[in-house]
Amino acid sequence: IITTILGSISWQLVASAFPIAFLSNPIVYIFLQLALALEATGICAAAWFLGLVQKKIMGFQYDEVYVGTPEERAAKQHADNPDALKNLDIGTYALADQVGTHEVQSAYLTLAKLDAHYSARREKILANIKALREQIQLSETDEEAEAFKDALRLEVAAMGRINKEEMESQKFGKDLEMTPEESESDVESQTQEE
């Protein structure tokens, strides 16, 4: 941006504001004549020719020379994956620090309130817990297993919050409130029964 402003736009503004003073400057006149002479030679319009010269000097070749044709790659067990586009894992651009903390959850609190039916929310969380346990069993690396275990802990904590919310709701009254430890142990016993 600075190069564009200083190298191009500012000089155009000066030239348009003071055209006679700008063109009567001997240094500007010399540079203008050099630029017009260079353009008249056609060398600037010969980018393809310069590319061919560079290719000849540098020895550039087509990709097939370096990586082979698709048939050659298939013969060497390096074929293109036909299912590559089906299994794209697309991430998010949202910066999330300490996922599961109060700060992140409070930003999405209104979304959680949309589905206020406790049993439906419990069913979703229990399905997530079951799927996460299966993924922990299928994980190939320790890092992958640890990531699934972290997600499992977050789901158990979410179940505890749902239990606490339900106990605090008008339906059950304030006198039946569970402690977070009781709620988490209740969730763990429910998921182990499955």
Side-chain angles (χ1 to χ4, degrees):
I1 294 174
I2 293 172
T3 304
T4 304
I5 292 170
L6 295 178
S8 177
I9 297 173
S10 61
W11 300 109
Q12 290 177 10
L13 292 173
V14 170
S16 65
F18 309 104
I20 296 174
F22 189 78
L23 289 175
S24 65
N25 187 338
I27 296 173
V28 172
Y29 182 76
I30 292 170
F31 279 120
L32 179 62
Q33 293 302 320
L34 286 174
L36 291 174
L38 183 65
E39 187 177 350
T41 63
I43 195 167
C44 294
W48 287 106
F49 173 73
L50 294 175
L52 290 174
V53 171
Q54 183 184 16
K55 177 182 172 185
K56 203 64 149 168
I57 293 170
M58 302 300 289
F60 294 148
Q61 297 178 2
Y62 289 110
D63 288 343
E64 285 79 12
V65 175
Y66 301 109
V67 296
T69 62
E71 295 80 18
E72 291 171 348
R73 290 194 304 268
K76 293 179 182 178
Q77 305 292 329
H78 295 291
D80 296 337
N81 184 1
D83 298 326
L85 295 178
K86 294 178 185 174
N87 300 322
L88 287 178
D89 295 327
I90 300 174
T92 179
Y93 288 105
L95 299 176
D97 186 31
Q98 299 174 352
V99 176
T101 60
H102 179 68
E103 293 80 19
V104 175
Q105 292 168 2
S106 63
Y108 298 101
L109 191 60
T110 55
L111 297 176
K113 297 286 184 185
L114 291 177
D115 186 14
H117 195 260
Y118 295 111
S119 61
R121 290 169 63 188
R122 267 194 202 93
E123 288 176 14
K124 288 179 186 177
I125 291 177
L126 286 173
N128 289 345
I129 289 173
K130 183 177 179 182
L132 286 169
R133 287 197 172 153
E134 291 172 3
Q135 291 299 323
I136 290 171
Q137 297 296 324
L138 297 174
S139 61
E140 296 176 0
T141 64
D142 292 338
E143 293 86 9
E144 187 178 6
E146 192 59 37
F148 285 123
K149 287 177 184 176
D150 288 342
L152 181 64
R153 282 190 283 274
L154 290 173
E155 290 293 333
V156 169
M159 182 66 85
R161 284 191 302 275
I162 288 175
N163 290 339
K164 185 178 179 183
E165 286 175 21
E166 187 173 19
M167 292 297 158
E168 291 176 350
S169 69
Q170 295 174 355
K171 183 176 181 181
F172 289 102
K174 299 264 183 195
D175 54 338
L176 298 175
E177 185 172 331
M178 290 176 87
T179 65
E181 292 80 18
E182 292 172 338
S183 134
E184 285 184 14
S185 65
D186 183 41
V187 169
E188 289 176 0
S189 66
Q190 285 178 3
T191 57
Q192 288 174 357
E193 290 173 5
E194 292 184 353

